[in-house]
Amino acid sequence: MEAEQRQRMNALQHPIPLGFDLLSKVHGLAHGVFTRHGGVSRPPYATLNTAWNNGDSQDAVRENLMRISDALALGQLVTSPQVHGDTIRFIDEEALLRAEKRFPILVTQPGDALVTCLRSVGLVIKIADCQAIFLVDPTRRVVANVHSGWRGSVLNLAGKTVQFLKDRFGCHPGDILATVSPSLGPCCAEFRNYRNELPEEFFPYQVKPLHFDFWAIARRQLTEAGIEPEHIEIAGRCTVCETEDFFSYRGEKPSTGRMAAVIGWKPDTGE
């Protein structure tokens, strides 16, 4: 009975995203990493699941995404099927027109990093242990959202996305702000076959037998891409340790939900 009561109360709540101090100072920017709370999905997807393909009710996912859109007041949410690769998708007007319409979200072609300079567009990455890395250039008015699990880290997708911003928009890495979402922490990042899965350059980040610090790896990759250390903010919260607030594939498999990390330029910047 107590669990059912909590479920009903949760369904009445509005989702409240976690923000970053570094990004809260950027005029006209909307961002947030949503927890598992504030949605309508039932266990094991309780409650703010945003994944369509994990067995959850389609109606529940649609309602959850609508709540997320309302919470950030962004006109359009855009996502992409994530395949743990290094494809970067540029979201412009043409990409929006080509995208599959799955109200209240548009789904573009597969990729693991989304980039846009459009206003009123929220870039959505779905996570449950993987990192969502926000990249923001307040000068060029460009944002990126990067899905970086351990495979994305091996591919250095964060660094490649910084390079994309440089090549496509002329961004200076010194202007870029970067944040790393709650994700798999060094306390729980166990890789028993790490010698076959991870490159040797990651081996120094083994903090205890078979456990690796992917937060530190992300910081290194971002700084090597030219981002200033003081322009990087890491949430430092482990999704496996905190399943009361976060979905965790490692902590809850085989069935769990996916959280949304969203970033975009507000429509009413006044510029």
mmCIF file of all heavy atoms in Angstrom, residues 65-93:
data_model
loop_
_atom_site.group_PDB
_atom_site.id
_atom_site.type_symbol
_atom_site.label_atom_id
_atom_site.label_comp_id
_atom_site.label_asym_id
_atom_site.label_seq_id
_atom_site.Cartn_x
_atom_site.Cartn_y
_atom_site.Cartn_z
ATOM 1 N N LEU A 65 7.695 12.588 -21.473
ATOM 2 C CA LEU A 65 8.404 13.525 -22.338
ATOM 3 C C LEU A 65 7.702 14.878 -22.390
ATOM 4 O O LEU A 65 8.357 15.931 -22.447
ATOM 5 C CB LEU A 65 8.533 12.941 -23.743
ATOM 6 C CG LEU A 65 9.504 11.773 -23.880
ATOM 7 C CD1 LEU A 65 9.351 11.096 -25.237
ATOM 8 C CD2 LEU A 65 10.945 12.245 -23.694
ATOM 9 N N MET A 66 6.382 14.874 -22.350
ATOM 10 C CA MET A 66 5.646 16.137 -22.318
ATOM 11 C C MET A 66 5.953 16.907 -21.043
ATOM 12 O O MET A 66 6.122 18.131 -21.054
ATOM 13 C CB MET A 66 4.147 15.869 -22.445
ATOM 14 C CG MET A 66 3.724 15.383 -23.821
ATOM 15 S SD MET A 66 1.978 14.891 -23.905
ATOM 16 C CE MET A 66 1.167 16.458 -23.561
ATOM 17 N N ARG A 67 6.068 16.211 -19.938
ATOM 18 C CA ARG A 67 6.402 16.860 -18.671
ATOM 19 C C ARG A 67 7.809 17.454 -18.711
ATOM 20 O O ARG A 67 8.045 18.543 -18.182
ATOM 21 C CB ARG A 67 6.279 15.865 -17.518
ATOM 22 C CG ARG A 67 4.853 15.419 -17.249
ATOM 23 C CD ARG A 67 4.761 14.532 -16.022
ATOM 24 N NE ARG A 67 3.376 14.148 -15.757
ATOM 25 C CZ ARG A 67 2.924 13.744 -14.575
ATOM 26 N NH1 ARG A 67 3.757 13.665 -13.546
ATOM 27 N NH2 ARG A 67 1.665 13.415 -14.417
ATOM 28 N N ILE A 68 8.718 16.734 -19.328
ATOM 29 C CA ILE A 68 10.088 17.235 -19.449
ATOM 30 C C ILE A 68 10.117 18.478 -20.326
ATOM 31 O O ILE A 68 10.784 19.477 -20.006
ATOM 32 C CB ILE A 68 10.994 16.125 -20.001
ATOM 33 C CG1 ILE A 68 11.228 15.066 -18.920
ATOM 34 C CG2 ILE A 68 12.311 16.685 -20.521
ATOM 35 C CD1 ILE A 68 11.878 13.806 -19.422
ATOM 36 N N SER A 69 9.399 18.445 -21.437
ATOM 37 C CA SER A 69 9.339 19.604 -22.323
ATOM 38 C C SER A 69 8.769 20.816 -21.593
ATOM 39 O O SER A 69 9.291 21.933 -21.693
ATOM 40 C CB SER A 69 8.490 19.275 -23.551
ATOM 41 O OG SER A 69 8.410 20.375 -24.424
ATOM 42 N N ASP A 70 7.706 20.601 -20.838
ATOM 43 C CA ASP A 70 7.087 21.703 -20.097
ATOM 44 C C ASP A 70 8.032 22.251 -19.037
ATOM 45 O O ASP A 70 8.069 23.461 -18.789
ATOM 46 C CB ASP A 70 5.791 21.228 -19.436
ATOM 47 C CG ASP A 70 4.681 20.954 -20.443
ATOM 48 O OD1 ASP A 70 4.814 21.405 -21.596
ATOM 49 O OD2 ASP A 70 3.707 20.278 -20.073
ATOM 50 N N ALA A 71 8.788 21.364 -18.393
ATOM 51 C CA ALA A 71 9.671 21.789 -17.304
ATOM 52 C C ALA A 71 10.749 22.745 -17.789
ATOM 53 O O ALA A 71 11.153 23.653 -17.052
ATOM 54 C CB ALA A 71 10.308 20.567 -16.646
ATOM 55 N N LEU A 72 11.210 22.560 -19.033
ATOM 56 C CA LEU A 72 12.276 23.410 -19.553
ATOM 57 C C LEU A 72 11.769 24.475 -20.514
ATOM 58 O O LEU A 72 12.547 25.332 -20.958
ATOM 59 C CB LEU A 72 13.343 22.560 -20.250
ATOM 60 C CG LEU A 72 14.168 21.653 -19.341
ATOM 61 C CD1 LEU A 72 15.196 20.877 -20.155
ATOM 62 C CD2 LEU A 72 14.860 22.450 -18.247
ATOM 63 N N ALA A 73 10.474 24.429 -20.827
ATOM 64 C CA ALA A 73 9.851 25.438 -21.698
ATOM 65 C C ALA A 73 10.563 25.562 -23.041
ATOM 66 O O ALA A 73 10.794 26.654 -23.548
ATOM 67 C CB ALA A 73 9.804 26.792 -20.988
ATOM 68 N N LEU A 74 10.926 24.405 -23.603
ATOM 69 C CA LEU A 74 11.517 24.372 -24.931
ATOM 70 C C LEU A 74 10.459 23.914 -25.933
ATOM 71 O O LEU A 74 9.657 23.026 -25.650
ATOM 72 C CB LEU A 74 12.712 23.426 -24.961
ATOM 73 C CG LEU A 74 13.940 23.912 -24.184
ATOM 74 C CD1 LEU A 74 14.940 22.787 -23.990
ATOM 75 C CD2 LEU A 74 14.598 25.082 -24.894
ATOM 76 N N GLY A 75 10.458 24.519 -27.101
ATOM 77 C CA GLY A 75 9.383 24.262 -28.046
ATOM 78 C C GLY A 75 9.403 22.884 -28.660
ATOM 79 O O GLY A 75 8.361 22.316 -28.958
ATOM 80 N N GLN A 76 10.582 22.325 -28.869
ATOM 81 C CA GLN A 76 10.693 21.032 -29.549
ATOM 82 C C GLN A 76 11.833 20.216 -28.968
ATOM 83 O O GLN A 76 12.958 20.701 -28.838
ATOM 84 C CB GLN A 76 10.941 21.228 -31.043
ATOM 85 C CG GLN A 76 11.060 19.949 -31.844
ATOM 86 C CD GLN A 76 9.788 19.139 -31.813
ATOM 87 O OE1 GLN A 76 8.770 19.555 -32.360
ATOM 88 N NE2 GLN A 76 9.821 17.982 -31.175
ATOM 89 N N LEU A 77 11.543 18.956 -28.627
ATOM 90 C CA LEU A 77 12.574 18.034 -28.183
ATOM 91 C C LEU A 77 13.043 17.199 -29.373
ATOM 92 O O LEU A 77 12.245 16.786 -30.213
ATOM 93 C CB LEU A 77 12.040 17.102 -27.096
ATOM 94 C CG LEU A 77 11.551 17.742 -25.795
ATOM 95 C CD1 LEU A 77 11.058 16.666 -24.836
ATOM 96 C CD2 LEU A 77 12.647 18.582 -25.152
ATOM 97 N N VAL A 78 14.348 16.940 -29.420
ATOM 98 C CA VAL A 78 14.936 16.143 -30.497
ATOM 99 C C VAL A 78 15.880 15.113 -29.873
ATOM 100 O O VAL A 78 16.667 15.441 -28.979
ATOM 101 C CB VAL A 78 15.731 17.020 -31.490
ATOM 102 C CG1 VAL A 78 16.322 16.154 -32.603
ATOM 103 C CG2 VAL A 78 14.854 18.108 -32.067
ATOM 104 N N THR A 79 15.788 13.895 -30.337
ATOM 105 C CA THR A 79 16.693 12.851 -29.866
ATOM 106 C C THR A 79 17.157 12.019 -31.053
ATOM 107 O O THR A 79 16.787 12.279 -32.203
ATOM 108 C CB THR A 79 16.021 11.966 -28.801
ATOM 109 O OG1 THR A 79 17.002 11.154 -28.158
ATOM 110 C CG2 THR A 79 14.934 11.075 -29.407
ATOM 111 N N SER A 80 17.961 11.019 -30.763
ATOM 112 C CA SER A 80 18.505 10.139 -31.790
ATOM 113 C C SER A 80 18.678 8.755 -31.199
ATOM 114 O O SER A 80 19.033 8.636 -30.019
ATOM 115 C CB SER A 80 19.860 10.680 -32.271
ATOM 116 O OG SER A 80 20.470 9.804 -33.179
ATOM 117 N N PRO A 81 18.449 7.693 -31.953
ATOM 118 C CA PRO A 81 18.796 6.355 -31.453
ATOM 119 C C PRO A 81 20.285 6.289 -31.139
ATOM 120 O O PRO A 81 21.122 6.592 -31.987
ATOM 121 C CB PRO A 81 18.423 5.431 -32.621
ATOM 122 C CG PRO A 81 17.401 6.192 -33.402
ATOM 123 C CD PRO A 81 17.808 7.635 -33.285
ATOM 124 N N GLN A 82 20.607 5.913 -29.913
ATOM 125 C CA GLN A 82 22.002 5.893 -29.465
ATOM 126 C C GLN A 82 22.591 4.509 -29.666
ATOM 127 O O GLN A 82 22.012 3.514 -29.229
ATOM 128 C CB GLN A 82 22.050 6.329 -28.002
ATOM 129 C CG GLN A 82 21.567 7.762 -27.800
ATOM 130 C CD GLN A 82 21.192 8.104 -26.378
ATOM 131 O OE1 GLN A 82 20.572 9.131 -26.121
ATOM 132 N NE2 GLN A 82 21.532 7.246 -25.423
ATOM 133 N N VAL A 83 23.745 4.452 -30.313
ATOM 134 C CA VAL A 83 24.305 3.168 -30.718
ATOM 135 C C VAL A 83 25.716 2.946 -30.179
ATOM 136 O O VAL A 83 26.417 2.056 -30.627
ATOM 137 C CB VAL A 83 24.291 3.040 -32.257
ATOM 138 C CG1 VAL A 83 22.864 2.987 -32.779
ATOM 139 C CG2 VAL A 83 25.054 4.192 -32.915
ATOM 140 N N HIS A 84 26.141 3.774 -29.233
ATOM 141 C CA HIS A 84 27.474 3.660 -28.623
ATOM 142 C C HIS A 84 28.578 3.797 -29.660
ATOM 143 O O HIS A 84 29.608 3.119 -29.595
ATOM 144 C CB HIS A 84 27.615 2.327 -27.871
ATOM 145 C CG HIS A 84 26.673 2.188 -26.717
ATOM 146 N ND1 HIS A 84 26.894 2.779 -25.501
ATOM 147 C CD2 HIS A 84 25.480 1.539 -26.610
ATOM 148 C CE1 HIS A 84 25.896 2.488 -24.681
ATOM 149 N NE2 HIS A 84 25.031 1.746 -25.331
ATOM 150 N N GLY A 85 28.346 4.693 -30.615
ATOM 151 C CA GLY A 85 29.349 4.972 -31.637
ATOM 152 C C GLY A 85 29.910 6.367 -31.483
ATOM 153 O O GLY A 85 29.875 6.955 -30.397
ATOM 154 N N ASP A 86 30.416 6.926 -32.593
ATOM 155 C CA ASP A 86 30.977 8.271 -32.532
ATOM 156 C C ASP A 86 30.405 9.188 -33.612
ATOM 157 O O ASP A 86 31.044 10.166 -34.025
ATOM 158 C CB ASP A 86 32.501 8.239 -32.621
ATOM 159 C CG ASP A 86 33.017 7.637 -33.920
ATOM 160 O OD1 ASP A 86 32.193 7.142 -34.727
ATOM 161 O OD2 ASP A 86 34.253 7.658 -34.124
ATOM 162 N N THR A 87 29.177 8.889 -34.054
ATOM 163 C CA THR A 87 28.515 9.739 -35.044
ATOM 164 C C THR A 87 27.941 10.973 -34.368
ATOM 165 O O THR A 87 27.280 10.878 -33.328
ATOM 166 C CB THR A 87 27.401 8.976 -35.766
ATOM 167 O OG1 THR A 87 27.970 7.869 -36.471
ATOM 168 C CG2 THR A 87 26.676 9.866 -36.756
ATOM 169 N N ILE A 88 28.180 12.129 -34.983
ATOM 170 C CA ILE A 88 27.700 13.413 -34.469
ATOM 171 C C ILE A 88 26.632 13.922 -35.434
ATOM 172 O O ILE A 88 26.872 14.017 -36.641
ATOM 173 C CB ILE A 88 28.854 14.425 -34.366
ATOM 174 C CG1 ILE A 88 29.937 13.885 -33.429
ATOM 175 C CG2 ILE A 88 28.341 15.781 -33.893
ATOM 176 C CD1 ILE A 88 31.245 14.667 -33.485
ATOM 177 N N ARG A 89 25.474 14.256 -34.911
ATOM 178 C CA ARG A 89 24.365 14.744 -35.726
ATOM 179 C C ARG A 89 24.168 16.242 -35.511
ATOM 180 O O ARG A 89 23.960 16.695 -34.388
ATOM 181 C CB ARG A 89 23.066 14.011 -35.374
ATOM 182 C CG ARG A 89 23.075 12.528 -35.694
ATOM 183 C CD ARG A 89 23.102 12.284 -37.186
ATOM 184 N NE ARG A 89 23.175 10.858 -37.490
ATOM 185 C CZ ARG A 89 23.405 10.384 -38.710
ATOM 186 N NH1 ARG A 89 23.575 11.213 -39.727
ATOM 187 N NH2 ARG A 89 23.472 9.083 -38.921
ATOM 188 N N PHE A 90 24.230 16.995 -36.614
ATOM 189 C CA PHE A 90 23.967 18.434 -36.555
ATOM 190 C C PHE A 90 22.474 18.650 -36.790
ATOM 191 O O PHE A 90 21.926 18.245 -37.819
ATOM 192 C CB PHE A 90 24.796 19.173 -37.607
ATOM 193 C CG PHE A 90 24.503 20.638 -37.672
ATOM 194 C CD1 PHE A 90 24.475 21.419 -36.529
ATOM 195 C CD2 PHE A 90 24.255 21.248 -38.899
ATOM 196 C CE1 PHE A 90 24.205 22.779 -36.593
ATOM 197 C CE2 PHE A 90 23.990 22.604 -38.977
ATOM 198 C CZ PHE A 90 23.967 23.367 -37.822
ATOM 199 N N ILE A 91 21.836 19.285 -35.833
ATOM 200 C CA ILE A 91 20.392 19.500 -35.891
ATOM 201 C C ILE A 91 20.118 20.916 -36.390
ATOM 202 O O ILE A 91 20.212 21.897 -35.639
ATOM 203 C CB ILE A 91 19.729 19.275 -34.515
ATOM 204 C CG1 ILE A 91 20.122 17.895 -33.958
ATOM 205 C CG2 ILE A 91 18.221 19.410 -34.627
ATOM 206 C CD1 ILE A 91 19.750 16.726 -34.837
ATOM 207 N N ASP A 92 19.798 21.012 -37.685
ATOM 208 C CA ASP A 92 19.373 22.285 -38.270
ATOM 209 C C ASP A 92 17.931 22.149 -38.739
ATOM 210 O O ASP A 92 17.261 21.138 -38.446
ATOM 211 C CB ASP A 92 20.300 22.698 -39.409
ATOM 212 C CG ASP A 92 20.388 21.644 -40.517
ATOM 213 O OD1 ASP A 92 19.663 20.626 -40.445
ATOM 214 O OD2 ASP A 92 21.203 21.830 -41.450
ATOM 215 N N GLU A 93 17.419 23.142 -39.428
ATOM 216 C CA GLU A 93 16.025 23.102 -39.881
ATOM 217 C C GLU A 93 15.767 21.907 -40.794
ATOM 218 O O GLU A 93 14.723 21.259 -40.716
ATOM 219 C CB GLU A 93 15.666 24.409 -40.601
ATOM 220 C CG GLU A 93 15.688 25.647 -39.727
ATOM 221 C CD GLU A 93 14.500 25.713 -38.778
ATOM 222 O OE1 GLU A 93 13.657 24.795 -38.806
ATOM 223 O OE2 GLU A 93 14.427 26.687 -38.004
#
